[in-house]
Amino acid sequence: MQEEMRLQDYIRISFSKIWKNKFLIAAVTLLFFLIGILYASWQTVTNTYYAKTTVYTIYGATTQETAAASDALSGYSDVIKSKKVCERAESIIGEADITANYIRNSITTSYNKSSTVMTIAAYSDNPVIALKIANAVAEAFVTEIQSITGNDRIQILDKADDVRLSSNGLTGVIKTVIMFGMAGFAISVVIAVAGVIFSNKIKSVEQCLDEDEEEILGIIPFIE
């Protein structure tokens, strides 16, 4: 009766099988790598740019007034993505392809509670559009807050005058190709290991022992 193989036997034989099939595994990996290159060649390489503008709260005459103004800026931060502000920004830009919905999906905000400054960032695959959205949203937000509060304590601090690269499309393409290569390697290794695990062939001397036997007297070698 055959004994069950130990985990270390499976690991040892699996590594041996992988090494024995190293050239096949390398070929499969290269094939998937080439498929990745072919797939990537059909994709459009698109960079993403962002532009930032900042708004701030004017300090009040007292600490309490300043704190209240700062809290107001924080409290109204969600207004930036409101339909009213985005539609106002759309009107300021005045371009048919830059809609309020597009603007809403393009902007993010960051705000430090210990500061009186809030940053508005706009992202787009077109650097000019990113610049226009950042400045238009800041202007629309300030106008809307003035309409709500009836004062002008919140103002634009710095307008966006340049754009920066947020994500490089070429980097994404390279990552895709690498992922294809890694997938090819992983699949070929899994198949090799699965062949070891699910095979009924005897893979170790211990499997040849009967239940009442403690040792093997000899082994007949296989000669081609």
Side-chain angles (χ1 to χ4, degrees):
M1 183 177 180
Q2 292 183 357
E3 291 186 356
E4 292 295 328
M5 285 180 61
R6 297 171 300 175
L7 177 60
Q8 51 265 43
D9 291 328
Y10 277 113
I11 294 174
R12 175 178 54 79
I13 297 171
S14 295
F15 273 108
S16 176
K17 183 75 177 257
I18 291 169
W19 179 252
K20 183 179 179 181
N21 294 279
K22 58 184 178 294
F23 294 113
L24 178 60
I25 291 173
V28 173
T29 301
L30 179 61
L31 175 62
F32 271 73
F33 186 77
L34 293 175
I35 293 173
I37 293 176
L38 182 62
Y39 172 80
S41 66
W42 294 339
Q43 308 303 307
T44 302
V45 178
T46 305
N47 295 331
T48 302
Y49 303 89
Y50 71 94
K52 288 184 177 181
T53 184
T54 53
V55 296
Y56 75 110
T57 302
I58 299 175
Y59 281 95
T62 65
T63 304
Q64 289 78 7
E65 288 180 356
T66 300
S70 180
D71 290 341
L73 181 61
S74 175
Y76 288 123
S77 60
D78 291 339
V79 175
I80 293 178
K81 286 197 171 188
S82 67
K83 181 179 179 181
K84 210 165 185 179
V85 168
C86 291
E87 286 179 347
R88 192 188 296 272
E90 176 187 359
S91 177
I92 293 171
I93 296 172
E95 296 183 16
D97 55 339
I98 305 178
T99 63
N101 190 52
Y102 180 87
I103 291 171
R104 182 183 297 108
N105 294 328
S106 300
I107 58 176
T108 63
T109 61
S110 57
Y111 180 79
N112 188 336
K113 291 184 178 180
S114 63
S115 172
T116 57
V117 177
M118 180 165 58
T119 300
I120 302 170
Y123 295 80
S124 175
D125 57 2
N126 186 321
V128 176
I129 291 178
L131 200 65
K132 288 180 178 180
I133 291 176
N135 286 324
V137 169
E139 182 180 341
F141 172 67
V142 169
T143 301
E144 185 63 26
I145 295 302
Q146 288 176 353
S147 174
I148 294 173
T149 62
N151 61 61
D152 57 356
R153 287 192 176 279
I154 296 177
Q155 298 285 340
I156 295 175
L157 179 61
D158 292 313
K159 287 188 175 182
D161 55 8
D162 64 347
V163 293
R164 296 183 181 181
L165 187 65
S166 173
S167 64
N168 191 321
L170 183 60
T171 301
V173 170
I174 293 172
K175 287 181 179 179
T176 298
V177 173
I178 292 174
M179 290 299 294
F180 267 86
M182 292 175 63
F185 176 79
I187 290 172
S188 55
V189 168
V190 167
I191 291 174
V193 173
V196 173
I197 295 174
F198 296 106
S199 172
N200 349 354
K201 292 181 180 179
I202 295 174
K203 304 176 187 68
S204 68
V205 174
E206 289 77 10
Q207 285 185 285
C208 299
L209 291 170
D210 287 334
E211 287 183 341
D212 299 328
E213 293 178 342
E214 296 181 355
E215 61 180 9
I216 292 177
L217 299 178
I219 300 174
I220 300 175
F222 173 76
I223 302 175
E224 294 183 356

